[in-house]
Amino acid sequence: DPMGEVGVAFWGSADAKSMLPAGMSEEAEASRDVLKMGLLRSGHIPTEALMHGIGVGLAWGHIYATDRDIANRIGYIHGVLSPTQVYKYHKQVFGDYGVGMGYFGGTPVYGKRWELQYTAPLWCSGCDPSDVPGGG
């Protein structure tokens, strides 16, 4: 699961992060800062408890999306999510906290799903390419 490393980089312990490829933890920290800005702008104080809650929500969203992907044989690679599938569970969790999708790394300009066709190669290169123009 290529997104597993990304989850560890964002939400994992220091020990877990030490096993990641060089630079991945630093990139994740920068993205966490962007999410914290989104929380502040939506009226939340980005405490560690709140960030933990979002992380758990995203982890469960990923698990449910992966289970659905396998059960319904979605896309080209069953058990590996597409950029749109990743976008959808982020949208749900971010929405629960009033955070716009412009704070999701896959849709950084307008927060719209169509941005994935341009950004997916940067953050989701190991994803199922079934819903990316020219993918697969």
Side-chain angles (χ1 to χ4, degrees):
D1 179 4
M3 294 307 293
E5 279 187 341
V6 175
V8 169
F10 270 82
W11 311 106
S13 68
D15 286 341
K17 289 179 182 182
S18 71
M19 295 183 275
L20 295 171
M24 186 172 253
S25 289
E26 292 79 9
E27 290 175 25
E29 283 303 315
S31 295
R32 278 176 62 100
D33 289 344
V34 171
L35 175 56
K36 287 178 181 179
M37 186 177 6
L39 287 166
L40 285 168
R41 288 187 176 169
S42 64
H44 296 285
I45 303 297
T47 63
E48 282 305 310
L50 180 60
M51 295 298 286
H52 177 77
I54 293 170
V56 169
L58 292 172
W60 279 111
H62 184 81
I63 291 166
Y64 292 139
T66 303
D67 285 350
R68 275 192 308 274
D69 187 83
I70 293 168
N72 297 314
R73 303 182 56 76
I74 298 171
Y76 301 141
I77 310 166
H78 310 302
V80 176
L81 301 180
S82 71
T84 297
Q85 290 170 300
V86 174
Y87 169 87
K88 286 180 179 179
Y89 71 78
H90 277 78
K91 184 174 182 178
Q92 175 65 49
V93 174
F94 281 24
D96 290 346
Y97 293 91
V99 176
M101 287 304 287
Y103 295 98
F104 169 56
T107 54
V109 180
Y110 301 105
K112 303 296 182 189
R113 192 168 89 181
W114 61 262
E115 291 177 76
L116 298 174
Q117 65 184 313
Y118 302 106
T119 65
L122 303 173
W123 63 272
C124 204
S125 61
C127 289
D128 186 326
S130 59
D131 66 10
V132 177

mmCIF file of all heavy atoms in Angstrom, residues 27-75:
data_model
loop_
_atom_site.group_PDB
_atom_site.id
_atom_site.type_symbol
_atom_site.label_atom_id
_atom_site.label_comp_id
_atom_site.label_asym_id
_atom_site.label_seq_id
_atom_site.Cartn_x
_atom_site.Cartn_y
_atom_site.Cartn_z
ATOM 1 N N GLU A 27 8.706 16.497 4.530
ATOM 2 C CA GLU A 27 7.602 16.880 3.652
ATOM 3 C C GLU A 27 6.272 16.753 4.378
ATOM 4 O O GLU A 27 5.396 17.615 4.241
ATOM 5 C CB GLU A 27 7.590 15.997 2.400
ATOM 6 C CG GLU A 27 8.735 16.261 1.450
ATOM 7 C CD GLU A 27 8.747 15.285 0.290
ATOM 8 O OE1 GLU A 27 7.674 14.739 -0.062
ATOM 9 O OE2 GLU A 27 9.821 15.065 -0.277
ATOM 10 N N ALA A 28 6.125 15.690 5.153
ATOM 11 C CA ALA A 28 4.884 15.487 5.896
ATOM 12 C C ALA A 28 4.691 16.587 6.937
ATOM 13 O O ALA A 28 3.577 17.075 7.128
ATOM 14 C CB ALA A 28 4.885 14.110 6.558
ATOM 15 N N GLU A 29 5.766 16.995 7.595
ATOM 16 C CA GLU A 29 5.655 18.072 8.587
ATOM 17 C C GLU A 29 5.202 19.369 7.936
ATOM 18 O O GLU A 29 4.378 20.101 8.496
ATOM 19 C CB GLU A 29 6.976 18.271 9.326
ATOM 20 C CG GLU A 29 7.252 17.222 10.378
ATOM 21 C CD GLU A 29 6.163 17.109 11.430
ATOM 22 O OE1 GLU A 29 5.683 18.148 11.951
ATOM 23 O OE2 GLU A 29 5.772 15.967 11.735
ATOM 24 N N ALA A 30 5.710 19.653 6.767
ATOM 25 C CA ALA A 30 5.283 20.858 6.055
ATOM 26 C C ALA A 30 3.800 20.769 5.707
ATOM 27 O O ALA A 30 3.051 21.744 5.849
ATOM 28 C CB ALA A 30 6.119 21.053 4.790
ATOM 29 N N SER A 31 3.341 19.598 5.296
ATOM 30 C CA SER A 31 1.933 19.419 4.971
ATOM 31 C C SER A 31 1.055 19.497 6.217
ATOM 32 O O SER A 31 -0.059 20.013 6.171
ATOM 33 C CB SER A 31 1.715 18.080 4.262
ATOM 34 O OG SER A 31 2.363 18.087 3.018
ATOM 35 N N ARG A 32 1.563 18.986 7.338
ATOM 36 C CA ARG A 32 0.820 19.111 8.605
ATOM 37 C C ARG A 32 0.649 20.580 8.960
ATOM 38 O O ARG A 32 -0.401 20.981 9.469
ATOM 39 C CB ARG A 32 1.545 18.387 9.734
ATOM 40 C CG ARG A 32 1.306 16.905 9.783
ATOM 41 C CD ARG A 32 2.123 16.219 10.875
ATOM 42 N NE ARG A 32 1.804 16.673 12.203
ATOM 43 C CZ ARG A 32 1.012 16.038 13.055
ATOM 44 N NH1 ARG A 32 0.429 14.918 12.680
ATOM 45 N NH2 ARG A 32 0.801 16.508 14.258
ATOM 46 N N ASP A 33 1.655 21.385 8.695
ATOM 47 C CA ASP A 33 1.547 22.823 8.965
ATOM 48 C C ASP A 33 0.443 23.454 8.118
ATOM 49 O O ASP A 33 -0.285 24.331 8.590
ATOM 50 C CB ASP A 33 2.883 23.530 8.720
ATOM 51 C CG ASP A 33 3.930 23.188 9.766
ATOM 52 O OD1 ASP A 33 3.567 22.658 10.843
ATOM 53 O OD2 ASP A 33 5.124 23.435 9.495
ATOM 54 N N VAL A 34 0.319 23.023 6.876
ATOM 55 C CA VAL A 34 -0.743 23.530 6.004
ATOM 56 C C VAL A 34 -2.105 23.133 6.571
ATOM 57 O O VAL A 34 -3.033 23.947 6.630
ATOM 58 C CB VAL A 34 -0.566 23.019 4.558
ATOM 59 C CG1 VAL A 34 -1.768 23.349 3.702
ATOM 60 C CG2 VAL A 34 0.707 23.600 3.952
ATOM 61 N N LEU A 35 -2.242 21.882 7.017
ATOM 62 C CA LEU A 35 -3.495 21.433 7.620
ATOM 63 C C LEU A 35 -3.800 22.254 8.877
ATOM 64 O O LEU A 35 -4.946 22.649 9.107
ATOM 65 C CB LEU A 35 -3.429 19.940 7.938
ATOM 66 C CG LEU A 35 -4.637 19.360 8.682
ATOM 67 C CD1 LEU A 35 -5.939 19.620 7.919
ATOM 68 C CD2 LEU A 35 -4.438 17.880 8.928
ATOM 69 N N LYS A 36 -2.786 22.514 9.681
ATOM 70 C CA LYS A 36 -3.001 23.326 10.890
ATOM 71 C C LYS A 36 -3.517 24.711 10.521
ATOM 72 O O LYS A 36 -4.394 25.260 11.203
ATOM 73 C CB LYS A 36 -1.702 23.433 11.698
ATOM 74 C CG LYS A 36 -1.336 22.148 12.408
ATOM 75 C CD LYS A 36 -0.019 22.297 13.149
ATOM 76 C CE LYS A 36 0.377 21.007 13.842
ATOM 77 N NZ LYS A 36 1.675 21.130 14.543
ATOM 78 N N MET A 37 -3.018 25.280 9.441
ATOM 79 C CA MET A 37 -3.501 26.580 8.977
ATOM 80 C C MET A 37 -4.978 26.473 8.589
ATOM 81 O O MET A 37 -5.787 27.358 8.902
ATOM 82 C CB MET A 37 -2.672 27.081 7.791
ATOM 83 C CG MET A 37 -3.047 28.477 7.364
ATOM 84 S SD MET A 37 -2.061 29.210 6.027
ATOM 85 C CE MET A 37 -0.994 27.953 5.451
ATOM 86 N N GLY A 38 -5.341 25.401 7.914
ATOM 87 C CA GLY A 38 -6.737 25.193 7.550
ATOM 88 C C GLY A 38 -7.633 25.071 8.769
ATOM 89 O O GLY A 38 -8.747 25.594 8.801
ATOM 90 N N LEU A 39 -7.137 24.395 9.795
ATOM 91 C CA LEU A 39 -7.906 24.273 11.039
ATOM 92 C C LEU A 39 -8.090 25.640 11.691
ATOM 93 O O LEU A 39 -9.193 25.978 12.139
ATOM 94 C CB LEU A 39 -7.209 23.310 11.998
ATOM 95 C CG LEU A 39 -7.305 21.839 11.622
ATOM 96 C CD1 LEU A 39 -6.306 21.015 12.422
ATOM 97 C CD2 LEU A 39 -8.722 21.321 11.842
ATOM 98 N N LEU A 40 -7.010 26.411 11.755
ATOM 99 C CA LEU A 40 -7.109 27.750 12.344
ATOM 100 C C LEU A 40 -8.123 28.606 11.592
ATOM 101 O O LEU A 40 -8.945 29.297 12.206
ATOM 102 C CB LEU A 40 -5.737 28.431 12.350
ATOM 103 C CG LEU A 40 -4.744 27.923 13.403
ATOM 104 C CD1 LEU A 40 -3.357 28.466 13.120
ATOM 105 C CD2 LEU A 40 -5.205 28.314 14.798
ATOM 106 N N ARG A 41 -8.071 28.547 10.284
ATOM 107 C CA ARG A 41 -8.992 29.360 9.472
ATOM 108 C C ARG A 41 -10.436 28.897 9.592
ATOM 109 O O ARG A 41 -11.349 29.658 9.298
ATOM 110 C CB ARG A 41 -8.548 29.361 8.017
ATOM 111 C CG ARG A 41 -7.297 30.179 7.824
ATOM 112 C CD ARG A 41 -6.939 30.341 6.381
ATOM 113 N NE ARG A 41 -5.779 31.224 6.250
ATOM 114 C CZ ARG A 41 -5.115 31.390 5.150
ATOM 115 N NH1 ARG A 41 -5.461 30.758 4.054
ATOM 116 N NH2 ARG A 41 -4.077 32.207 5.113
ATOM 117 N N SER A 42 -10.638 27.650 10.007
ATOM 118 C CA SER A 42 -12.009 27.158 10.186
ATOM 119 C C SER A 42 -12.458 27.275 11.643
ATOM 120 O O SER A 42 -13.508 26.755 12.009
ATOM 121 C CB SER A 42 -12.129 25.718 9.691
ATOM 122 O OG SER A 42 -11.328 24.859 10.468
ATOM 123 N N GLY A 43 -11.645 27.944 12.479
ATOM 124 C CA GLY A 43 -12.047 28.218 13.855
ATOM 125 C C GLY A 43 -11.605 27.199 14.879
ATOM 126 O O GLY A 43 -12.043 27.245 16.027
ATOM 127 N N HIS A 44 -10.731 26.273 14.497
ATOM 128 C CA HIS A 44 -10.237 25.259 15.429
ATOM 129 C C HIS A 44 -8.831 25.610 15.907
ATOM 130 O O HIS A 44 -8.042 26.175 15.151
ATOM 131 C CB HIS A 44 -10.173 23.884 14.765
ATOM 132 C CG HIS A 44 -11.499 23.337 14.357
ATOM 133 N ND1 HIS A 44 -12.405 22.824 15.244
ATOM 134 C CD2 HIS A 44 -12.081 23.236 13.135
ATOM 135 C CE1 HIS A 44 -13.482 22.420 14.595
ATOM 136 N NE2 HIS A 44 -13.309 22.661 13.312
ATOM 137 N N ILE A 45 -8.527 25.235 17.132
ATOM 138 C CA ILE A 45 -7.163 25.316 17.639
ATOM 139 C C ILE A 45 -6.525 23.955 17.334
ATOM 140 O O ILE A 45 -7.018 22.925 17.803
ATOM 141 C CB ILE A 45 -7.128 25.590 19.155
ATOM 142 C CG1 ILE A 45 -7.895 26.869 19.491
ATOM 143 C CG2 ILE A 45 -5.689 25.628 19.658
ATOM 144 C CD1 ILE A 45 -7.315 28.121 18.878
ATOM 145 N N PRO A 46 -5.458 23.918 16.532
ATOM 146 C CA PRO A 46 -4.883 22.621 16.122
ATOM 147 C C PRO A 46 -4.040 21.972 17.223
ATOM 148 O O PRO A 46 -2.823 21.895 17.150
ATOM 149 C CB PRO A 46 -4.047 22.981 14.894
ATOM 150 C CG PRO A 46 -3.677 24.410 15.096
ATOM 151 C CD PRO A 46 -4.826 25.035 15.846
ATOM 152 N N THR A 47 -4.711 21.498 18.263
ATOM 153 C CA THR A 47 -4.029 20.807 19.355
ATOM 154 C C THR A 47 -3.554 19.439 18.872
ATOM 155 O O THR A 47 -4.024 18.935 17.837
ATOM 156 C CB THR A 47 -4.983 20.617 20.539
ATOM 157 O OG1 THR A 47 -6.065 19.774 20.116
ATOM 158 C CG2 THR A 47 -5.504 21.946 21.066
ATOM 159 N N GLU A 48 -2.674 18.834 19.635
ATOM 160 C CA GLU A 48 -2.218 17.479 19.282
ATOM 161 C C GLU A 48 -3.389 16.503 19.309
ATOM 162 O O GLU A 48 -3.458 15.600 18.486
ATOM 163 C CB GLU A 48 -1.090 17.021 20.204
ATOM 164 C CG GLU A 48 0.255 17.619 19.856
ATOM 165 C CD GLU A 48 0.659 17.378 18.394
ATOM 166 O OE1 GLU A 48 0.597 16.229 17.912
ATOM 167 O OE2 GLU A 48 1.019 18.364 17.718
ATOM 168 N N ALA A 49 -4.314 16.699 20.255
ATOM 169 C CA ALA A 49 -5.476 15.809 20.329
ATOM 170 C C ALA A 49 -6.333 15.938 19.073
ATOM 171 O O ALA A 49 -6.801 14.927 18.524
ATOM 172 C CB ALA A 49 -6.303 16.132 21.576
ATOM 173 N N LEU A 50 -6.538 17.146 18.605
ATOM 174 C CA LEU A 50 -7.317 17.356 17.383
ATOM 175 C C LEU A 50 -6.596 16.754 16.177
ATOM 176 O O LEU A 50 -7.207 16.059 15.360
ATOM 177 C CB LEU A 50 -7.581 18.844 17.153
ATOM 178 C CG LEU A 50 -8.386 19.200 15.906
ATOM 179 C CD1 LEU A 50 -9.762 18.546 15.932
ATOM 180 C CD2 LEU A 50 -8.514 20.705 15.791
ATOM 181 N N MET A 51 -5.310 17.002 16.076
ATOM 182 C CA MET A 51 -4.534 16.441 14.966
ATOM 183 C C MET A 51 -4.572 14.916 15.016
ATOM 184 O O MET A 51 -4.691 14.252 13.976
ATOM 185 C CB MET A 51 -3.092 16.951 15.007
ATOM 186 C CG MET A 51 -2.954 18.448 14.772
ATOM 187 S SD MET A 51 -3.522 18.993 13.144
ATOM 188 C CE MET A 51 -2.188 18.381 12.114
ATOM 189 N N HIS A 52 -4.509 14.355 16.220
ATOM 190 C CA HIS A 52 -4.596 12.899 16.376
ATOM 191 C C HIS A 52 -5.965 12.405 15.889
ATOM 192 O O HIS A 52 -6.043 11.396 15.180
ATOM 193 C CB HIS A 52 -4.364 12.499 17.830
ATOM 194 C CG HIS A 52 -4.501 11.033 18.070
ATOM 195 N ND1 HIS A 52 -3.526 10.129 17.716
ATOM 196 C CD2 HIS A 52 -5.510 10.312 18.596
ATOM 197 C CE1 HIS A 52 -3.928 8.909 18.024
ATOM 198 N NE2 HIS A 52 -5.135 8.995 18.560
ATOM 199 N N GLY A 53 -7.024 13.128 16.246
ATOM 200 C CA GLY A 53 -8.361 12.748 15.814
ATOM 201 C C GLY A 53 -8.498 12.750 14.296
ATOM 202 O O GLY A 53 -9.116 11.848 13.718
ATOM 203 N N ILE A 54 -7.935 13.756 13.668
ATOM 204 C CA ILE A 54 -7.962 13.810 12.203
ATOM 205 C C ILE A 54 -7.166 12.652 11.624
ATOM 206 O O ILE A 54 -7.597 11.992 10.678
ATOM 207 C CB ILE A 54 -7.434 15.162 11.698
ATOM 208 C CG1 ILE A 54 -8.408 16.269 12.090
ATOM 209 C CG2 ILE A 54 -7.218 15.138 10.181
ATOM 210 C CD1 ILE A 54 -7.887 17.668 11.847
ATOM 211 N N GLY A 55 -6.004 12.382 12.206
ATOM 212 C CA GLY A 55 -5.187 11.266 11.736
ATOM 213 C C GLY A 55 -5.906 9.938 11.843
ATOM 214 O O GLY A 55 -5.871 9.116 10.917
ATOM 215 N N VAL A 56 -6.596 9.721 12.959
ATOM 216 C CA VAL A 56 -7.358 8.481 13.134
ATOM 217 C C VAL A 56 -8.501 8.430 12.118
ATOM 218 O O VAL A 56 -8.744 7.384 11.507
ATOM 219 C CB VAL A 56 -7.884 8.368 14.584
ATOM 220 C CG1 VAL A 56 -8.889 7.236 14.722
ATOM 221 C CG2 VAL A 56 -6.716 8.165 15.544
ATOM 222 N N GLY A 57 -9.167 9.560 11.907
ATOM 223 C CA GLY A 57 -10.239 9.600 10.910
ATOM 224 C C GLY A 57 -9.739 9.260 9.517
ATOM 225 O O GLY A 57 -10.383 8.515 8.775
ATOM 226 N N LEU A 58 -8.584 9.798 9.164
ATOM 227 C CA LEU A 58 -8.000 9.504 7.847
ATOM 228 C C LEU A 58 -7.573 8.044 7.751
ATOM 229 O O LEU A 58 -7.751 7.407 6.696
ATOM 230 C CB LEU A 58 -6.831 10.435 7.558
ATOM 231 C CG LEU A 58 -7.204 11.901 7.339
ATOM 232 C CD1 LEU A 58 -5.947 12.760 7.261
ATOM 233 C CD2 LEU A 58 -8.066 12.073 6.101
ATOM 234 N N ALA A 59 -7.019 7.513 8.832
ATOM 235 C CA ALA A 59 -6.609 6.105 8.817
ATOM 236 C C ALA A 59 -7.819 5.198 8.603
ATOM 237 O O ALA A 59 -7.779 4.277 7.773
ATOM 238 C CB ALA A 59 -5.891 5.745 10.112
ATOM 239 N N TRP A 60 -8.908 5.457 9.332
ATOM 240 C CA TRP A 60 -10.113 4.655 9.151
ATOM 241 C C TRP A 60 -10.695 4.858 7.755
ATOM 242 O O TRP A 60 -11.175 3.905 7.124
ATOM 243 C CB TRP A 60 -11.145 4.953 10.222
ATOM 244 C CG TRP A 60 -10.845 4.230 11.496
ATOM 245 C CD1 TRP A 60 -10.433 4.774 12.675
ATOM 246 C CD2 TRP A 60 -10.901 2.813 11.706
ATOM 247 N NE1 TRP A 60 -10.232 3.783 13.603
ATOM 248 C CE2 TRP A 60 -10.514 2.578 13.043
ATOM 249 C CE3 TRP A 60 -11.239 1.732 10.901
ATOM 250 C CZ2 TRP A 60 -10.456 1.298 13.581
ATOM 251 C CZ3 TRP A 60 -11.183 0.453 11.444
ATOM 252 C CH2 TRP A 60 -10.795 0.247 12.767
ATOM 253 N N GLY A 61 -10.674 6.091 7.259
ATOM 254 C CA GLY A 61 -11.150 6.342 5.905
ATOM 255 C C GLY A 61 -10.370 5.537 4.884
ATOM 256 O O GLY A 61 -10.936 4.970 3.945
ATOM 257 N N HIS A 62 -9.059 5.465 5.083
ATOM 258 C CA HIS A 62 -8.202 4.691 4.173
ATOM 259 C C HIS A 62 -8.539 3.205 4.262
ATOM 260 O O HIS A 62 -8.648 2.525 3.227
ATOM 261 C CB HIS A 62 -6.730 4.937 4.517
ATOM 262 C CG HIS A 62 -5.793 4.265 3.587
ATOM 263 N ND1 HIS A 62 -5.474 4.792 2.358
ATOM 264 C CD2 HIS A 62 -5.114 3.101 3.686
ATOM 265 C CE1 HIS A 62 -4.628 3.969 1.733
ATOM 266 N NE2 HIS A 62 -4.400 2.935 2.529
ATOM 267 N N ILE A 63 -8.719 2.715 5.470
ATOM 268 C CA ILE A 63 -9.052 1.294 5.650
ATOM 269 C C ILE A 63 -10.373 0.967 4.979
ATOM 270 O O ILE A 63 -10.481 -0.015 4.226
ATOM 271 C CB ILE A 63 -9.087 0.933 7.150
ATOM 272 C CG1 ILE A 63 -7.664 0.978 7.731
ATOM 273 C CG2 ILE A 63 -9.730 -0.434 7.379
ATOM 274 C CD1 ILE A 63 -7.614 0.966 9.247
ATOM 275 N N TYR A 64 -11.404 1.771 5.224
ATOM 276 C CA TYR A 64 -12.711 1.507 4.623
ATOM 277 C C TYR A 64 -12.646 1.597 3.099
ATOM 278 O O TYR A 64 -13.233 0.767 2.401
ATOM 279 C CB TYR A 64 -13.764 2.485 5.148
ATOM 280 C CG TYR A 64 -14.116 2.292 6.604
ATOM 281 C CD1 TYR A 64 -14.301 3.379 7.435
ATOM 282 C CD2 TYR A 64 -14.254 1.023 7.158
ATOM 283 C CE1 TYR A 64 -14.622 3.222 8.776
ATOM 284 C CE2 TYR A 64 -14.574 0.852 8.500
ATOM 285 C CZ TYR A 64 -14.759 1.958 9.302
ATOM 286 O OH TYR A 64 -15.071 1.793 10.616
ATOM 287 N N ALA A 65 -11.946 2.596 2.581
ATOM 288 C CA ALA A 65 -11.836 2.746 1.126
ATOM 289 C C ALA A 65 -11.099 1.558 0.517
ATOM 290 O O ALA A 65 -11.484 1.063 -0.551
ATOM 291 C CB ALA A 65 -11.132 4.055 0.779
ATOM 292 N N THR A 66 -10.067 1.087 1.187
ATOM 293 C CA THR A 66 -9.312 -0.064 0.683
ATOM 294 C C THR A 66 -10.167 -1.325 0.724
ATOM 295 O O THR A 66 -10.169 -2.116 -0.224
ATOM 296 C CB THR A 66 -8.004 -0.255 1.476
ATOM 297 O OG1 THR A 66 -7.240 0.956 1.386
ATOM 298 C CG2 THR A 66 -7.185 -1.399 0.926
ATOM 299 N N ASP A 67 -10.905 -1.512 1.813
ATOM 300 C CA ASP A 67 -11.802 -2.671 1.906
ATOM 301 C C ASP A 67 -12.842 -2.649 0.782
ATOM 302 O O ASP A 67 -13.105 -3.673 0.151
ATOM 303 C CB ASP A 67 -12.515 -2.701 3.262
ATOM 304 C CG ASP A 67 -11.615 -3.144 4.397
ATOM 305 O OD1 ASP A 67 -10.491 -3.621 4.140
ATOM 306 O OD2 ASP A 67 -12.042 -3.003 5.559
ATOM 307 N N ARG A 68 -13.430 -1.477 0.521
ATOM 308 C CA ARG A 68 -14.409 -1.350 -0.567
ATOM 309 C C ARG A 68 -13.756 -1.623 -1.917
ATOM 310 O O ARG A 68 -14.351 -2.250 -2.793
ATOM 311 C CB ARG A 68 -15.028 0.056 -0.575
ATOM 312 C CG ARG A 68 -16.194 0.231 0.359
ATOM 313 C CD ARG A 68 -16.946 1.529 0.121
ATOM 314 N NE ARG A 68 -16.100 2.717 0.114
ATOM 315 C CZ ARG A 68 -15.740 3.403 1.183
ATOM 316 N NH1 ARG A 68 -16.119 3.025 2.372
ATOM 317 N NH2 ARG A 68 -14.988 4.466 1.074
ATOM 318 N N ASP A 69 -12.537 -1.127 -2.083
ATOM 319 C CA ASP A 69 -11.814 -1.321 -3.332
ATOM 320 C C ASP A 69 -11.626 -2.812 -3.620
ATOM 321 O O ASP A 69 -11.845 -3.274 -4.736
ATOM 322 C CB ASP A 69 -10.454 -0.614 -3.250
ATOM 323 C CG ASP A 69 -9.705 -0.627 -4.558
ATOM 324 O OD1 ASP A 69 -9.988 0.244 -5.401
ATOM 325 O OD2 ASP A 69 -8.836 -1.505 -4.730
ATOM 326 N N ILE A 70 -11.243 -3.555 -2.591
ATOM 327 C CA ILE A 70 -11.021 -4.997 -2.750
ATOM 328 C C ILE A 70 -12.349 -5.721 -2.983
ATOM 329 O O ILE A 70 -12.482 -6.515 -3.916
ATOM 330 C CB ILE A 70 -10.291 -5.571 -1.518
ATOM 331 C CG1 ILE A 70 -8.861 -5.016 -1.455
ATOM 332 C CG2 ILE A 70 -10.287 -7.098 -1.548
ATOM 333 C CD1 ILE A 70 -8.150 -5.276 -0.144
ATOM 334 N N ALA A 71 -13.340 -5.413 -2.126
ATOM 335 C CA ALA A 71 -14.624 -6.112 -2.209
ATOM 336 C C ALA A 71 -15.334 -5.868 -3.539
ATOM 337 O O ALA A 71 -15.960 -6.782 -4.087
ATOM 338 C CB ALA A 71 -15.521 -5.683 -1.050
ATOM 339 N N ASN A 72 -15.219 -4.665 -4.061
ATOM 340 C CA ASN A 72 -15.923 -4.309 -5.294
ATOM 341 C C ASN A 72 -15.038 -4.361 -6.534
ATOM 342 O O ASN A 72 -15.484 -3.974 -7.620
ATOM 343 C CB ASN A 72 -16.554 -2.922 -5.147
ATOM 344 C CG ASN A 72 -17.595 -2.892 -4.063
ATOM 345 O OD1 ASN A 72 -18.439 -3.781 -3.986
ATOM 346 N ND2 ASN A 72 -17.546 -1.901 -3.205
ATOM 347 N N ARG A 73 -13.791 -4.773 -6.347
ATOM 348 C CA ARG A 73 -12.843 -4.920 -7.460
ATOM 349 C C ARG A 73 -12.785 -3.642 -8.297
ATOM 350 O O ARG A 73 -12.982 -3.657 -9.514
ATOM 351 C CB ARG A 73 -13.182 -6.150 -8.296
ATOM 352 C CG ARG A 73 -13.195 -7.429 -7.469
ATOM 353 C CD ARG A 73 -13.485 -8.684 -8.243
ATOM 354 N NE ARG A 73 -12.597 -8.917 -9.355
ATOM 355 C CZ ARG A 73 -11.326 -9.364 -9.287
ATOM 356 N NH1 ARG A 73 -10.800 -9.626 -8.125
ATOM 357 N NH2 ARG A 73 -10.616 -9.547 -10.376
ATOM 358 N N ILE A 74 -12.509 -2.538 -7.625
ATOM 359 C CA ILE A 74 -12.491 -1.220 -8.255
ATOM 360 C C ILE A 74 -11.131 -0.961 -8.894
ATOM 361 O O ILE A 74 -10.097 -1.267 -8.311
ATOM 362 C CB ILE A 74 -12.811 -0.126 -7.211
ATOM 363 C CG1 ILE A 74 -14.221 -0.342 -6.657
ATOM 364 C CG2 ILE A 74 -12.676 1.267 -7.818
ATOM 365 C CD1 ILE A 74 -14.558 0.531 -5.469
ATOM 366 N N GLY A 75 -11.124 -0.366 -10.059
ATOM 367 C CA GLY A 75 -9.895 0.063 -10.714
ATOM 368 C C GLY A 75 -9.089 -1.074 -11.298
ATOM 369 O O GLY A 75 -9.576 -2.180 -11.510
#
